[in-house]
């Protein structure tokens, strides 16, 4: 339970007692899209059972609760534990349901009794995934649940992605937000690791093409490797830098030998330049002077 100072730092809203709230029969679509917060358009607020305070949604709760000065009092709301909601039209507090027990308004065009989730904006094509245990957006027919990864992916990735157990039950390697229940779109890379689509695009825009977790290439780099081939062939190294180094390829995980070059070292197996040196320089390979007599 939060202390008095912690409770004061959260924005508590008093709801009207249901016994004194006037009965105002309304059409169920009354007030649609007129209420809610920056996260959702909905016609109700939730009472958080963890701290007994009222918030527009769980994200509003989490933002406030996790900004408390005492780290011990910071916490997230478990959505399934919500028992009470407050109608935004008549302010009646009541048990969770889609229709207000007092005025009859629909508190959310989309409603999930498992997640205690309300949303008037059904253009998101929300659906509840029983295997994930939470609601997703994007349309049920456009996603499938991978039992190995423990997450929902676009149907285009069915049998076309590298499975990593509980891949989304981790934080985004760029922004560190927990991926599994994030409202932001996620992107599954060819290596199987996952990050937010916005974070992925940000890395690409900043010429960062390696997975932050395993260092494998996140996109097809074959064109870039061809350009490097051409540039290296026209950039000869001085004699004192002509030596072999041992390298390990981040893409195929195989080791090989390559001639040292400041522009990159090509994997002898897959041709990738996404490699790293794993040895110290060997003795220089000296050129033979054809005019020198032994």
């Amino acid at each position: 339970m939060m202390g008095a100072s912690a409770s004061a730092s959260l924005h508590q809203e008093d709801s009207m007692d249901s016994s004194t709230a006037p009965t105002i029969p309304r059409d169920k679509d009354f007030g649609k899209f007129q209420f809610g917060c920056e996260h959702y358009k909905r016609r109700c607020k939730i009472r958080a059972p963890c701290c007994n305070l009222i918030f527009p949604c769980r994200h509003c709760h989490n933002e406030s609760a996790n900004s408390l000065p005492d780290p011990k009092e910071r916490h997230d709301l478990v959505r399934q534990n919500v028992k009470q909601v407050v109608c935004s039209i008549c302010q009646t507090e009541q048990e969770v349901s889609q229709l207000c027990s007092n005025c009859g308004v629909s508190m959310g065009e989309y409603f999930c009794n498992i997640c205690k989730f309300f949303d008037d904006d059904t253009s998101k094509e929300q659906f509840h995934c029983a295997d994930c245990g939470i609601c997703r957006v994007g349309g049920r027919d456009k996603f499938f649940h991978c039992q190995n990864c423990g997450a929902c992916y676009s149907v285009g990735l069915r049998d076309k992605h590298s499975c990593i157990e509980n891949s989304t039950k981790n934080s985004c390697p760029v922004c560190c937000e927990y991926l599994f229940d994030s409202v932001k779109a996620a992107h599954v890379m060819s290596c199987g690791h996952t990050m937010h689509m916005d974070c992925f695009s940000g890395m690409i825009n900043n010429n960062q093409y390696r997975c932050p977790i395993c260092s494998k290439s996140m996109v097809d780099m074959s064109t870039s490797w061809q350009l490097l081939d051409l540039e290296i062939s026209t950039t000869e190294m001085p004699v004192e830098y002509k030596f072999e180094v041992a390298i390990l390829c981040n893409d195929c995980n195989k080791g090989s030998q390559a001639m040292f070059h400041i522009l990159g070292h090509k994997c002898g197996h897959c041709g990738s330049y996404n490699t790293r040196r794993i040895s110290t320089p060997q003795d220089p390979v000296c050129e033979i002077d054809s005019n020198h007599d032994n």
Side-chain angles (χ1 to χ4, degrees):
M1 180 66 68
M2 292 187 186
S5 61
S7 298
S9 65
L10 293 171
H11 301 291
Q12 183 173 11
E13 302 179 29
D14 294 325
S15 63
M16 184 181 295
D17 190 291
S18 59
S19 62
T20 61
T23 302
I24 311 173
R26 302 280 191 184
D27 179 84
K28 71 181 186 67
D29 290 331
F30 179 84
K32 187 175 180 179
F33 291 116
Q34 297 179 25
F35 298 87
C37 60
E38 62 177 304
H39 304 105
Y40 303 111
K41 290 296 182 183
R42 63 208 305 186
R43 286 162 281 174
C44 68
K45 301 180 180 72
I46 59 174
R47 182 176 289 281
C50 44
C51 49
N52 202 36
L53 302 178
I54 295 174
F55 294 88
C57 75
R58 69 180 182 91
H59 297 292
C60 292
H61 167 277
N62 293 346
E63 289 172 2
S64 294
N66 287 305
S67 64
L68 292 171
D70 186 353
K72 294 181 180 179
E73 294 183 336
R74 298 172 187 169
H75 62 280
D76 287 336
L77 171 67
V78 180
R79 70 189 85 187
Q80 291 87 351
N81 291 347
V82 173
K83 304 297 182 184
Q84 299 289 119
V85 296
V86 179
C87 175
S88 298
I89 306 299
C90 68
Q91 306 304 315
T92 301
E93 183 165 355
Q94 58 203 277
E95 293 184 358
V96 173
S97 65
Q98 185 171 20
L99 300 179
C100 175
S101 60
N102 183 59
C103 69
V105 74
S106 174
M107 291 183 282
E109 184 72 17
Y110 175 83
F111 169 67
C112 177
N113 192 45
I114 299 174
C115 296
K116 312 302 189 289
F117 177 46
F118 303 79
D119 197 351
D120 275 337
D121 185 5
T122 56
S123 66
K124 302 174 186 176
E125 299 184 74
Q126 303 93 328
F127 66 96
H128 181 84
C129 175
D131 291 312
C132 286
I134 61 175
C135 289
R136 300 290 192 188
V137 297
R140 187 182 300 275
D141 59 337
K142 298 175 185 175
F143 291 84
F144 76 100
H145 184 87
C146 177
Q147 297 295 341
N148 293 329
C149 296
C152 285
Y153 293 143
S154 168
V155 293
L157 290 174
R158 191 188 297 271
D159 301 323
K160 295 179 182 179
H161 70 281
S162 299
C163 287
I164 295 182
E165 187 176 358
N166 295 324
S167 61
T168 61
K169 293 183 179 179
N170 294 288
S171 298
C172 172
V174 176
C175 70
C176 297
E177 181 184 354
Y178 191 58
L179 287 166
F180 185 71
D181 56 4
S182 174
V183 297
K184 300 176 184 177
H187 176 71
V188 184
M189 294 170 286
S190 56
C191 59
H193 292 119
T194 308
M195 69 171 72
H196 288 126
M197 177 59 78
D198 288 345
C199 295
F200 173 79
S201 299
M203 290 191 66
I204 297 301
N205 292 336
N206 285 281
N207 300 318
Q208 300 295 322
Y209 304 114
R210 295 192 299 184
C211 172
I213 299 174
C214 67
S215 294
K216 292 186 182 297
S217 297
M218 300 190 299
V219 295
D220 181 6
M221 298 293 293
S222 57
T223 300
S224 297
W225 302 157
Q226 290 173 9
L227 292 175
L228 265 176
D229 282 338
L230 179 61
E231 193 168 357
I232 287 175
S233 67
T234 58
T235 308
E236 187 175 357
M237 296 296 293
V239 173
E240 59 268 27
Y241 290 103
K242 289 188 176 182
F243 51 80
E244 281 191 333
V245 290
I247 61 173
L248 178 65
C249 180
N250 293 321
D251 287 337
C252 70
N253 296 321
K254 295 180 180 179
S256 58
Q257 299 286 325
M259 292 301 297
F260 174 80
H261 201 285
I262 58 171
L263 296 179
H265 303 116
K266 185 174 184 176
C267 174
H269 299 280
C270 69
S272 170
Y273 280 95
N274 181 16
T275 60
R276 65 186 75 182
R277 285 174 54 181
I278 57 174
S279 72
T280 57
Q282 304 299 312
D283 293 334
V285 179
C286 297
E287 288 188 332
I288 299 176
D289 186 351
S290 59
N291 297 322
H292 180 72
D293 295 328
N294 291 326

